[in-house]
Amino acid sequence: MSTTSPPTPTADLPPQFDFASMEREIYERWERAGAFSAAVTDSSRSGGDREPFTIVMPPPNVTAILHMGHGLDNTLQDVLIRWRRMAGDDALWVPGTDHAGIATQNVVEKLIAKEGLTRYDVGRDAFVRRTVRFVEETGGAILNQLRALGASCDWSRTAYTLSPELSRAVREAFVRLYEKGLVYRGHRVIHWCPRCLTSLSDEEAEFHDTNGKLYHISYPLSGDPERAIVVATTRPETMLGDVAVAVHPDDDRYRDLIGRTVVLPIANVEIPIIPDSYTDPTFGSGAVKITPAHDANDFEVGQRHDLPMPVVITATGTMGEESPRETNERGETIERVPESLRGLDRFEAREKIVDMLKASGRLVKVEPHQHAVRRCYRCDTVVEPRLSDQWFVKMKPLAEPALAAVRDGRIRIVPERWEGVYVHWLDTIRDWNISRQLWWGHRIPVWYCDGCGRETVSRDDVLTCPSCSGPVRQDEDVLDTWFSSWLWPFSTLGWPKDTPDLRAFYPTDVLVSGPDILFFWVARMIMSGFEFMGEAPYHTVYLHGIARDTKHRKMSKSLGNGIDPLDVIARFGADPLRYTVVAGMGLGVDIIFDPDDLEKSFAPGRNFVTKLWNIGRFLLTNVGTSPVQAVSEIDRERLSRADQWILARLDAAIAECDAALGPARPVNRHWTLGERTMGMRLNDYAEAARRFVWNELADWYLEAIKARLADAGDDREVARAVLAHAFDGALRLLHPIVPFVTEALWQRLPGRADDELLISARWPTASGGQGRGADEFELVRSAVDALRQLRGEYNITPGKQLSAIVVPAPNARSVLTTEAALIGRLTRCTVSVAEAAPRGETAAHQVLADGSEVIVPLAGTIDVAKECARLQQELAALEKQLGGLRQRLANENFVSRAKPEIVDAERQKEREWSARREQLAAKVKTLCGN
RNA sequence: GGGCGAAUAGCUCAGUUGGUUAGAGCGCCUGCCUUACACGCAGGAAGUCGGGGGUUCGAGUCCCUCUUCGCCCACCA
């Protein structure tokens, strides 16, 4: 056991981790070894002996390129997956992409626009073929970019929302909901994007506060032009579609006018004054113009009063009437939009109409008015409320189980405050418009027979009418992209087929996402999970913050303040990016980067990875690669205090990391109140691991054992074994965060077989039983700290060897005596141990917590009065604190009401401080003479 | 308009049921190229925990209030 291997030269190990050449190679080794793939047969749900742990990746848009949001989101998922994989779970991370209806169609439309074409020039079939080709050529690039990040997805299960398999799932879902009466076609006002030429869901029409104007317009009473009723609107152009003026039934000002008619200016049609409690008598004039075809509320008023609903703004946002056309009692078509306005853009028309009203004296006044305007979430165009036929999903019944699951703790949302937002949304949920007037997406599986009028909803393509065998035509519209992604947790596993994957991995475990798609996606997945699988899709929703710049602006392409993760990886490597993100990611807190200073932004990660690498370099040089003894087999007596200390610190670090990561799943299907707030604190986990390897292993243990490693012999073997063990533990703890550098180092550790991979290694567990030495080493550390402080205080450069005297407190005698040499090495002092402080010497002093004292004789360089003053000051501060402490301990309320362990801790502290006070006071007395 | 969250060192943030002398990273100051690491080592400065009030033996932590930011939701035209 005393044989020593010759130190391995570090010539082949550069001072920095060579990420550029290593990362790709390591990633390929993982893939070759099949380290990413989960086995159905391992899952405890399929007879295996491992708990499944599944994450489905939020599918990026198929045409997207990697940005910081993806980098952040996927790093967090990878950390969780690697952690559970090492912890022994059958870990599955399902990757995939979303066909992203509007987004992708917009991209391709822009492409063909460069050729001077629109999608209508190309035609539907050709356009779809073109888009398929575009996706085949460029799509999925983002998944390859994720490899550079180190993402350990199971690529063999890569899914795509528009694949034949997932398309089957979409049809199945649509047909089932239709059969239950939860999918229906409705004729109502929806949000319409005049640029994308499609309807949008409520969520896709985002509110933006806008400084607009409120126009007050007077509508003269029919046959009584002297009298008029004034209405207010922010959108004068819609007045052409007015079919009534509503007043509150109890509003005395207008009671006599109810039932009479006014003449709509410009359009010149007569419209009635109607009573409706929708009107708020305190707002404006208390009279509201009703435009049922271009306002969702007015639509409801129109329905209540059975009013006509003329459309006066076309699909492209220009003025003009559309069918169904309104007719008068003689059956003639009513023309509301005058020739001069027809074809005009709605905003130009607004100006023109205002001018016309002004000219005719009908414009009463214009006020500035702040209000919220809805805009298309894809192209930012102001959305036009528009009457049309659309398909809807009835959401109330779907929302109920989704609400119950969060309320009763089957699902937790982290951080918890989002649960309120989730609950509120589901409580007030409205039906979901799922049809889109696009070409790119899942065609709605409904076929119409013009012959007999039959409507057929089918899982399979319908070629002829089942009733009359006549020709059928399929609904022209496609489904909202989110109608396919809401099925993602089970459609990716094979649903509607009852596949082995589905049985082994559904329900999944954690869903990681930004809060921006909580409604779009996360909540809808929960609803669909219950509806189609009868079970929640996951038990934890982890909502992280988003990446912002130093001005706290969201990183975005349009602002040009984004950071390309691939740039960061190219400059610093994937590990520094990952470490910086994880360490800087408070629970649900946004993370700030400076896009103009990547160096600074990612310094924490880069510095850390280099530090880790150099610890490894030291170890490989001084420990070598020949096998070491297992720490558990080493006699306890042979472990030094430092050895015991670092082993205890490792146990503590493991416990901290485990606590920060938390339970992987609720113990009993429901999250208990206690469990709910545990875990998922990835930054705490990163910090615990960092502190262990840097501030404990490198700063103290490594320095403490350098001498032992230098001298061949039994003790060297012990030190080698403990160092290798402690570093091995550190690498395992850190692997989920910085997988590449840890893998590279781990494989070089002593005694490692060629085919062993850290990615598949076991997560560490505490070894326990370290004994007293660990605590005793703390005393050594405090002596070292004290001497270092004296050096700093008196400006004694490290190059200068010092002699120092240690005067131990009674209990510390044996420890400080045997460790004197070590203390000397760590402080570059020649340390001698004395019974009592030598008299008559000019010296600098420090008193340790236990009353031990360290002294540096500095004859001639010390100002006695100054040193005396310093000590007196220190004594005064200590006495003040001690006084407060004793007062507290004397307080009966404190002793009786505070927790016993707190009182005990205070008593212990009181003993220590007293000892220190004694010592300090004695010192002051000898030095200052009073 | 309603709801939620935040305010702690120069900057970005931790601080779990109230309980040591409030912490980290980056930045800053001083001294060191000590044969693993200057992307480093050692030491140091820096916070009346946004203002005010309250509960308590004890408050960064709980309650009230004010101020300033941010987010989500919403049919006042």
Side-chain angles (χ1 to χ4, degrees), chain A residues 725-883:
Chain A
H725 177 81
F727 194 54
D728 173 283
L731 292 179
R732 288 174 198 251
L733 286 178
L734 284 162
H735 179 259
I737 307 174
V738 281
F740 292 109
V741 69
T742 50
E743 184 73 79
L745 288 169
W746 194 78
Q747 289 180 5
R748 294 169 194 247
L749 287 184
R752 200 64 71 208
D754 281 351
D755 59 345
E756 277 188 283
L757 290 172
L758 178 56
I759 188 176
S760 311
R762 284 287 79 90
W763 186 252
T765 51
S767 52
Q770 273 86 33
R772 216 185 18 234
D775 289 335
E776 291 170 351
F777 191 72
E778 290 294 343
L779 187 61
V780 176
R781 290 180 63 207
S782 72
V784 169
D785 279 339
L787 284 170
R788 282 175 175 170
Q789 271 171 27
L790 290 177
R791 266 192 186 275
E793 226 164 296
Y794 290 100
N795 258 327
I796 308 157
T797 63
K800 189 171 172 187
Q801 190 73 17
L802 262 189
S803 51
I805 300 160
V806 174
V807 184
N811 290 340
R813 180 163 309 276
S814 72
V815 177
L816 292 179
T817 305
T818 51
E819 301 290 357
L822 176 57
I823 295 169
R825 256 198 310 281
L826 294 176
T827 56
R828 307 201 136 211
C829 292
T830 310
V831 175
S832 53
V833 179
E835 290 281 335
R839 273 184 298 174
E841 262 193 280
T842 320
H845 309 260
Q846 278 264 332
V847 177
L848 310 183
D850 72 334
S852 300
E853 188 186 2
V854 296
I855 302 163
V856 182
L858 291 166
T861 58
I862 277 265
D863 179 339
V864 180
K866 206 168 140 192
E867 175 70 2
C868 189
R870 190 180 66 82
L871 284 173
Q872 274 171 337
Q873 204 180 347
E874 203 179 316
L875 180 62
L878 183 61
E879 278 178 338
K880 192 178 163 197
Q881 280 163 6
L882 192 58

Side-chain angles (χ1 to χ4, degrees), chain A residues 593-633:
Chain A
F593 294 109
D594 186 350
D596 299 322
D597 194 349
L598 297 185
E599 189 89 11
K600 189 184 170 190
S601 292
F602 296 94
R606 186 198 54 178
N607 295 356
F608 178 69
V609 168
T610 301
K611 184 70 183 181
L612 199 58
W613 177 251
N614 277 288
I615 296 168
R617 230 160 54 109
F618 172 86
L619 186 142
L620 293 172
T621 311
N622 294 283
V623 169
T625 51
S626 61
V628 297
Q629 240 185 312
V631 165
S632 57
E633 287 163 15

